[in-house]
């Protein structure tokens, strides 16, 4: 996948199946020594279409996959049935399809990765991470960034953010390791009562198993000044590479080249070393709560 501006819309199971099916098709093609150009010719498509299929960036037609499996010498009924079954899941409609008017295409990919992740680590500079926001705080943040949007659109954006948080209480809730800059906790957003509710919520979340929350204190030198917000997502499926998510103003970058991922993992490790311990972070949150 490398560095890309992503426009794929997919859900948790959808994302995983799409990526896994694409990687399996690539391995089968390479094992038979078939070029992408020849594979594209077989299904009346271009070489680039085969590339997008193998990277899980497009939906799949069952007929195309069946033709490719025949080309790649896959004749076992069980293996063909399993792979063709993945096509149906990979083409399922995700929950945020109903929010397409307020969820841009580039963010739909992140929603799929987020729901499929087994662990999510992030560094947040400006605001409390979306997965940890209260409804009132989320509404204030969204209103701040969409000052000319109608109230109905703001409420739908809030609904999406709250819907995302359901994965934290599911049977396969991801492990979270969040580093939040203290400036984000001190930045007034929505007024004192909103901030008080948000700080209380963070204290409650910090007590949950599987959630590690650290605060980067003000005045810390080193990486905090040059490292912007980013997230590192790891998946339960061993065939899926870790992904770094970098959100920009009107788009996002998804990185999965091992060298780039390793650089961000190292950066996150150093940010965590420079941050307060989880226990000291809870003490700081309590102190900030008293101030409100």
């Amino acid at each position: 996948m490398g560095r890309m501006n992503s426009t794929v819309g997919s859900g948790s199971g959808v994302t995983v199946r799409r990526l896994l099916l694409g990687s399996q098709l690539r391995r089968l093609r390479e094992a038979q020594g078939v070029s992408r150009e020849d594979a594209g010719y077989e299904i009346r498509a271009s070489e680039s279409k085969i590339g997008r299929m193998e990277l899980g960036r497009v939906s799949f037609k069952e007929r195309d996959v069946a033709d490719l499996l025949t080309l790649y010498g896959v004749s076992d009924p069980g293996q063909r049935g399993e792979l063709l079954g993945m096509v149906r899941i990979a083409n399922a409609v995700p929950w945020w399809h109903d929010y397409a008017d307020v969820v841009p295409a580039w963010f739909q990919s992140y929603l799929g990765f987020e729901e499929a992740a087994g662990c999510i680590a992030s560094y947040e500079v400006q605001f409390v991470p979306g997965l940890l926001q209260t409804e009132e705080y989320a509404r204030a943040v969204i209103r701040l960034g969409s000052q000319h949007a109608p109230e109905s659109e703001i409420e739908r954006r809030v609904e999406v953010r709250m819907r995302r948080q359901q994965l934290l209480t599911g049977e396969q809730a991801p492990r979270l390791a969040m580093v939040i800059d203290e400036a984000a906790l001190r930045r007034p957003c929505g007024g004192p009562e909103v901030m008080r509710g948000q700080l209380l919520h963070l204290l409650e979340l910090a007590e949950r198993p599987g959630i590690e929350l650290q605060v980067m204190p003000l005045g810390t030198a080193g990486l905090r000044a040059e490292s912007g917000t980013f997230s590192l997502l790891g998946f339960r499926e061993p065939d899926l590479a870790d992904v770094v998510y970098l959100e920009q103003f009107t788009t996002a970058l998804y990185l999965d080249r091992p060298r780039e991922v390793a650089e961000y993992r190292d950066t996150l490790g150093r940010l965590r070393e420079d941050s307060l311990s989880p226990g000291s972070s809870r003490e700081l949150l309590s102190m900030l709560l008293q101030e409100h």
Side-chain angles (χ1 to χ4, degrees), residues 104-118:
W106 53 265
F107 190 60
Q108 293 177 21
S109 290
Y110 177 77
L111 293 178
F113 286 132
E114 183 178 75
E115 287 200 341

Side-chain angles (χ1 to χ4, degrees), residues 12-88:
S12 58
V14 178
T15 296
V16 170
R17 291 301 181 274
R18 190 173 283 183
L19 293 170
L20 288 176
L21 179 56
S23 65
Q24 291 193 46
L25 289 175
R26 175 181 55 78
R27 284 198 296 270
L28 290 168
R29 177 181 61 78
E30 292 176 345
Q32 290 295 314
V34 178
S35 68
R36 282 196 296 266
E37 183 179 3
D38 289 342
Y41 180 80
E42 181 68 20
I43 63 169
R44 303 151 298 281
S46 64
E47 176 183 352
S48 61
K49 171 69 176 295
I50 295 296
R52 292 195 297 274
M53 288 175 64
E54 293 180 352
L55 291 171
R57 298 185 193 173
V58 294
S59 59
F60 298 85
K61 293 181 180 179
E62 192 166 338
R63 174 188 171 187
D64 289 345
V65 174
D67 289 345
L68 289 174
L69 293 178
T70 299
L71 177 65
Y72 301 157
V74 179
S75 57
D76 177 71
Q79 186 178 9
R80 289 180 68 93
E82 180 182 351
L83 291 169
L84 290 173
M86 291 173 67
V87 173
R88 289 183 283 276

Side-chain angles (χ1 to χ4, degrees), residues 69-264:
L69 293 178
T70 299
L71 177 65
Y72 301 157
V74 179
S75 57
D76 177 71
Q79 186 178 9
R80 289 180 68 93
E82 180 182 351
L83 291 169
L84 290 173
M86 291 173 67
V87 173
R88 289 183 283 276
I89 299 176
N91 290 335
V93 178
W95 62 263
W96 53 83
H97 182 268
D98 292 337
Y99 294 93
D101 57 319
V102 295
V103 179
W106 53 265
F107 190 60
Q108 293 177 21
S109 290
Y110 177 77
L111 293 178
F113 286 132
E114 183 178 75
E115 287 200 341
C119 58
I120 302 173
S122 70
Y123 174 53
E124 178 60 63
V125 180
Q126 286 192 305
F127 301 107
V128 171
L131 284 177
L132 310 182
Q133 293 179 4
T134 64
E135 182 175 338
E136 294 77 13
Y137 182 90
R139 184 174 291 109
V141 171
I142 291 169
R143 186 172 285 129
L144 186 64
S146 308
Q147 295 184 10
H148 302 295
E151 195 65 23
S152 59
E153 178 179 324
I154 290 174
E155 288 306 312
R156 284 177 61 75
R157 292 180 185 275
V158 173
E159 287 177 21
V160 171
R161 193 157 300 181
M162 295 301 101
R163 174 63 178 80
R164 286 170 56 195
Q165 295 181 10
Q166 291 183 20
L167 65 88
L168 298 182
T169 56
E171 293 182 1
Q172 291 189 310
R175 291 180 290 107
L176 301 186
M178 303 293 194
V179 177
I180 307 175
D181 198 289
E182 183 181 343
L185 301 174
R186 290 186 176 277
R187 180 171 292 112
C189 193
E193 284 304 310
V194 171
M195 289 304 299
R196 178 177 173 79
Q198 180 61 71
L199 291 168
L200 272 171
H201 186 56
L202 288 176
L203 278 167
E204 293 169 359
L205 290 172
E207 297 294 339
R208 287 191 194 177
I211 296 181
E212 187 173 274
L213 183 60
Q214 291 180 260
V215 177
M216 172 70 71
L218 293 174
T220 304
L223 286 169
R224 66 181 300 273
E226 60 186 68
S227 177
T229 297
F230 67 92
S231 296
L232 175 61
L233 299 95
F235 304 97
R236 299 178 184 89
E237 301 285 349
D239 283 349
L240 299 185
D242 292 353
V243 172
V244 173
Y245 171 73
L246 302 172
E247 186 170 318
Q248 300 177 336
F249 186 59
T250 58
T251 186
L253 290 178
Y254 297 85
L255 316 178
D256 74 347
R257 293 191 180 114
R259 180 180 298 177
E260 291 178 317
V261 172
E263 288 177 357
Y264 277 93

